[in-house]
Amino acid sequence: MDLELRHLRILLAIAEAGSLTRAAAALMLSQPAVTTQLRRIEASFGQPLFERSARGVVPTRAGELVISHARDAVVSADRIRSYRLRPAPGPEPVTVGGSSGPMLSHLTLHLPAALSNPVTFVQFPATGDAMSRLGDRSIDAACLVDLEGFGTTPADGVVVDVIGLEPVVVILPAGHALAGEARIDLAGLADETWLLPPHDPGCDDYGALVHACAAAGFVPRFSPHRIGDLSILCDLVAQGVGLTLAQGSARAREGVVMRRLAGDPLLGRHLLALHRESPLITSRPLLLGLVRDAFGARCVKPG
């Protein structure tokens, strides 16, 4: 017979009670059941572990040795079980993701010092990717940017705050005929080719530009290239491949200029999104304060 933890507990109960009857009561078993179990245990050792008498039972020499080890084993097993039942120490780790921009960089700098939770940051190439990861709880919160009227739909369980609206600017070659203008009429760009980033289910750049150009009286011509990296887009613009769009807070690169469009026909929405079941939901006021500070300090205001 293979000894199990329950057999060791029976031996300890008998040794402590000094009687099979009292041990059976402590174990909430019948006396015949305890007697049968003890016989099987002693048979597995090949010798008696207790001496029986009219006054009860006492351990034999072999019994004392077995009981000593049994006591250590039961204590160790109980300690292991308590570790398993004990909640994990410390605050739950959280992950914050989002699009490249001033809000995510500001949180990366300031949020870890303001929270007791360990924080990890991750950047996503597309707004839709970040929203999808929020929906399945792969991340806890996200700083997102989309286009007003052509933006993201919150996943189930996700709450979204609009931090502010920022004008979208056009990026032109530094030598473009309109590069010296403070603001550019979109209609004056009717003959240009437009470079856009890859399709993003959370931000329809293509649909937003088509809509704005239609209001300006023309249908835009698009390059077949779909490039997500703003540095590469700026290089292509500088070489005369086409024009592209960016948030007003984007930084100009060598060889290009960034100009506001007259009337600000395209507006970017800066968003903070959190999952309702995230540990960060209780810190929502803190996150809102930080991203609003970043938006106020670094983003361009409409008008």
Side-chain angles (χ1 to χ4, degrees), residues 222-260:
F222 292 99
S223 164
H225 309 308
R226 284 295 186 113
I227 308 295
D229 187 284
L230 186 58
S231 296
I232 298 176
L233 285 171
C234 286
D235 288 342
L236 295 175
V237 170
Q239 297 300 319
V241 177
L243 309 184
T244 193
L245 302 170
Q247 292 299 315
S249 54
R251 297 177 180 177
R253 269 70 166 178
E254 185 179 356
V256 302
V257 295
M258 297 183 178
R259 295 291 180 261
R260 293 273 292 271

Side-chain angles (χ1 to χ4, degrees), residues 134-149:
L134 265 175
D136 64 19
R137 283 297 315 281
S138 299
I139 60 175
D140 297 278
C143 300
L144 308 173
V145 181
D146 64 15
L147 292 170
E148 188 177 33

Side-chain angles (χ1 to χ4, degrees), residues 2 28 54 66 68 95 113 136 156 159 193 200 224 234 237 240 254 286 302:
D2 292 328
M28 299 176 58
V66 170
S68 175
T95 302
D136 64 19
D156 290 342
V159 57
T193 298
D200 180 353
C234 286
V237 170
E254 185 179 356
L286 169 66

Side-chain angles (χ1 to χ4, degrees), residues 187-198:
L189 303 175
D191 296 329
E192 301 288 348
T193 298
W194 294 89
L195 295 157
L196 292 182

